[in-house]
Amino acid sequence: MTLAWLPNAITLLRMALAVPLAWLILAGDYHLALVVALFAGGSDAVDGWLAKRFGWDSWLGGVIDPMADKLMLVAAFTALTLRDASPTWLFVLVLARDLVIVAGAVAYHNLVGRLDARPTLLSKFTTLLQILYVLALLVHLSMAPAWPPLLVPALGWLVAAVTLASGLDYIVRWGARARAAVREARLKPRA
């Protein structure tokens, strides 16, 4: 019996952890929230390793894995913002970037054609920085004297800059692809 379903099951578990993560943050239980966040991060590494190592990658996994990351990040940013632990403007920026990407992907798919949405290196770096920011903030909140006072705010500003750059990169990159596809479609002779 093959275990090819295992990476997707781990990803679905990570998606399910978004609610307890947000609840723990809202309840002020930052120690346990940090444990859940670290477990979720570890599960992301494990499901990716299993998929690549054993050839268990799938179209579904390619779709739900980034969704799980986004769900965890949105849950964490929402809860941290509601607890006044992270600035509202950063939450709005992170959420706006994701909404622009999703809206652009839907528009591209409906107006231009099939979307082969592989994340760019900048997008992966953005997600990594956002995860590190959430983890650093949870460490700071659970062990207040552990960090220099400006570390988390500086990381927040770095997250903001990279998030903005990544959002603009997606707009420019996919806008150019859409224009090229429309141009190519107009040049094709009709049968």
Side-chain angles (χ1 to χ4, degrees):
M1 179 175 156
T2 180
L3 297 175
W5 54 269
L6 191 55
N8 291 345
I10 293 170
T11 301
L12 291 172
L13 172 63
R14 189 165 75 254
M15 291 174 99
L17 288 174
V19 172
L21 176 64
W23 182 81
L24 288 166
I25 292 169
L26 289 171
D29 192 345
Y30 302 119
H31 287 90
L32 197 50
L34 179 60
V35 170
V36 170
L38 288 170
F39 179 80
S43 76
D44 189 21
V46 169
D47 70 29
W49 180 82
L50 287 171
K52 287 182 178 116
R53 170 69 174 85
F54 297 106
W56 294 341
D57 49 343
S58 65
W59 177 85
L60 178 62
V63 170
I64 64 172
D65 187 68
M67 284 175 56
D69 294 341
K70 291 300 165 197
L71 188 59
M72 291 294 292
L73 283 168
V74 167
F77 269 97
T78 301
L80 288 165
T81 302
L82 290 172
R83 289 287 299 185
D84 290 324
S86 184
T88 302
W89 63 264
L90 184 57
F91 166 72
V92 169
L93 180 62
V94 168
L95 188 62
R97 172 195 171 260
D98 290 344
L99 291 175
V100 164
I101 290 171
V102 169
V106 169
Y108 188 94
H109 179 78
N110 290 330
L111 300 173
V112 177
R114 183 179 168 102
L115 180 69
D116 182 21
R118 291 194 178 110
T120 64
L121 194 56
L122 181 58
S123 178
K124 288 181 179 186
F125 183 62
T126 302
T127 300
L128 174 65
L129 276 180
Q130 290 174 354
I131 291 168
L132 290 176
Y133 173 76
V134 167
L135 291 174
L137 194 50
L138 288 173
V139 167
H140 175 71
L141 291 167
S142 61
M143 304 174 233
W147 298 111
L150 294 179
L151 180 68
V152 174
L155 187 54
W157 282 104
L158 180 60
V159 166
V162 173
T163 298
L164 184 59
S166 175
L168 292 173
D169 179 59
Y170 267 107
I171 291 169
V172 170
R173 188 181 301 259
W174 285 98
R177 283 188 188 177
R179 286 188 298 280
V182 167
R183 221 173 307 139
E184 185 179 312
R186 286 183 184 158
L187 295 176
K188 276 187 182 176
R190 295 185 182 191

